Amino acid sequence: MRMQDGVASYAQLLAGGVTRIDIERRLRRNELRRVHPRVYADHTGPLTWTQRAWAAVLYAEPAFLCGVSLEEPKGRDTGEPIHVAIDRSRRVRPQEGLVIHRLADLAPRTYGGTPPRLKVEDNALLMAQEARKEIDAIAAVAQVASKRYVTAASLRAALGRYPSLRRRPLVAGMIDDLEAGTHSVLEHGYLTKVERPHGLPAGDRQAVRPGPSGSQFRDVEYAAYGLVVELDGALGHESWREQARDADRDLDDLARLGSVTARLRWHQVFDTPCRTAARIGRILTRGGWEGKTRTCGESCEATAS
């Protein structure tokens, strides 16, 4: 119980010499409390996040922390449910405060931490698999890529353990980009989600410009209208969501004041492509473009942003 932050299972207590009668007596005396069926804590006060995590793992054992529960949250514990992964062949009764995920071939995906948990790469792909929105799948991969010990090779190995992963081409492309240092997935997203469906003029891809150290390349250039679009798809930034918000503010400034370069990230291309198209369209109009941004569907806000 000391090793598990004051939490133990019924089987562990019996193995340690505690009898069923002892457990019942300690429950009456409030020396133990039942957290989940056959899982106990050594006090009756509020449980810490770590104690809740141990209780979840012990209740569903063999089970492993996963999803948003892979790491202890920073700051105050908000009491959000603990997520654990179990083998797909098993059935475990639901419990309050516990979310169960079922995975096939679970053993190669696990890490023997305290409490035990999925490997960070496998967990990222689990979150990408279950993400409702494309940008959330991108976020899961981007955030794990920020860890120094995560490499393109380790992510690709994890991808091999998810043969039926949703959005597999997107995730595989991101891993390829991470390894090659390119932004091809983001560049393709800009073409197919922002530029083409909203009627923006066709930009020049990888346009060459002379620089102090030789030729430099611009991701997309609208030379006739004085605008360059740079697509920053680099993975490995721990503050990538904050950078996305900064890029949003920068893009608003560009739309209002005009500038020669617009720098876009995953958020602008995959999460808000219609708004991005509207602002790029206004910048192009200021530069002399006489076309008109069009909507890509009924819910498109390209002409309203």
Side-chain angles (χ1 to χ4, degrees):
M1 294 189 82
R2 286 196 298 270
M3 292 174 62
Q4 295 172 178
D5 208 23
V7 180
S9 69
Y10 181 80
Q12 288 175 330
L13 291 173
L14 292 184
V18 181
T19 67
R20 180 179 60 81
I21 295 174
D22 290 332
I23 293 173
E24 293 174 352
R25 180 168 56 249
R26 293 184 186 187
L27 287 170
R28 289 195 300 271
R29 294 176 177 177
N30 290 327
E31 295 171 357
L32 287 178
R33 65 175 291 188
R34 184 178 288 106
V35 182
H36 297 305
R38 303 173 76 84
V39 178
Y40 307 91
D42 64 358
H43 66 91
T44 57
L47 297 175
T48 66
W49 183 90
T50 304
Q51 289 170 331
R52 295 197 300 116
W54 269 116
V57 166
L58 292 172
Y59 167 71
E61 66 177 344
F64 304 83
L65 297 180
C66 69
V68 295
S69 301
L70 192 74
E71 298 178 354
E72 183 174 358
K74 297 178 181 178
R76 185 175 62 87
D77 179 16
T78 59
E80 292 296 316
I82 300 295
H83 293 246
V84 297
I86 65 172
D87 190 86
R88 181 175 292 174
S89 64
R90 298 180 57 223
R91 292 291 180 267
V92 175
R93 288 187 178 182
Q95 297 295 322
E96 184 177 356
L98 180 61
V99 178
I100 295 176
H101 306 255
R102 292 177 172 82
L103 294 175
D105 196 23
L106 181 62
R109 308 179 191 214
T110 61
Y111 167 70
T114 51
R117 58 200 70 202
L118 292 189
K119 295 176 181 177
V120 293
E121 296 92 343
D122 289 82
N123 190 66
L125 297 187
L126 172 64
M127 295 181 72
Q129 164 78 13
E130 297 181 347
R132 293 183 179 181
K133 298 172 62 177
E134 198 170 43
I135 189 64
D136 294 330
I138 292 170
V141 178
Q143 287 172 344
V144 76
S146 70
K147 300 182 182 298
R148 294 182 179 179
Y149 53 86
V150 173
T151 65
S154 66
L155 279 168
R156 187 170 289 110
L159 185 62
R161 296 188 284 270
Y162 283 86
S164 303
L165 183 73
R166 290 178 62 205
R167 307 184 181 94
R168 186 182 182 86
L170 172 65
V171 174
M174 292 181 68
I175 295 172
D176 290 342
D177 284 357
L178 176 63
E179 186 170 54
T182 65
H183 308 152
S184 58
V185 173
L186 189 59
E187 291 168 4
H188 185 260
Y190 177 79
L191 173 66
T192 59
K193 293 179 178 290
V194 178
E195 184 183 273
R196 187 176 290 166
H198 296 99
L200 299 178
D204 295 326
R205 264 67 190 174
Q206 297 302 312
V208 182
R209 281 188 176 184
S213 58
S215 297
Q216 297 179 345
F217 296 88
R218 299 294 183 264
D219 291 332
V220 185
E221 183 172 21
Y222 303 94
Y225 311 114
L227 174 65
V228 170
V229 173
E230 294 287 3
L231 298 162
D232 187 353
L235 301 179
H237 297 296
E238 292 185 359
S239 58
W240 82 282
R241 284 198 180 275
E242 288 76 10
Q243 290 174 339
R245 287 193 289 268
D246 291 342
D248 251 341
R249 289 192 291 267
D250 293 343
L251 195 54
D252 280 328
D253 291 339
L254 288 169
R256 289 193 301 268
L257 306 175
S259 182
V260 296
T261 301
R263 186 171 302 275
L264 308 182
R265 295 187 172 92
W266 295 100
H267 168 74
Q268 283 75 39
V269 172
F270 282 87
D271 201 26
T272 59
C274 300
R275 292 181 58 211
T276 298
R279 289 177 283 183
I280 293 293
R282 293 206 301 273
I283 298 168
L284 291 169
T285 298
R286 190 175 292 112
W289 181 49
E290 295 181 354
K292 186 176 181 181
T293 306
R294 66 169 180 256
T295 58
C296 64
E298 293 182 1
S299 61
C300 181
E301 55 184 3
T303 60
S305 299

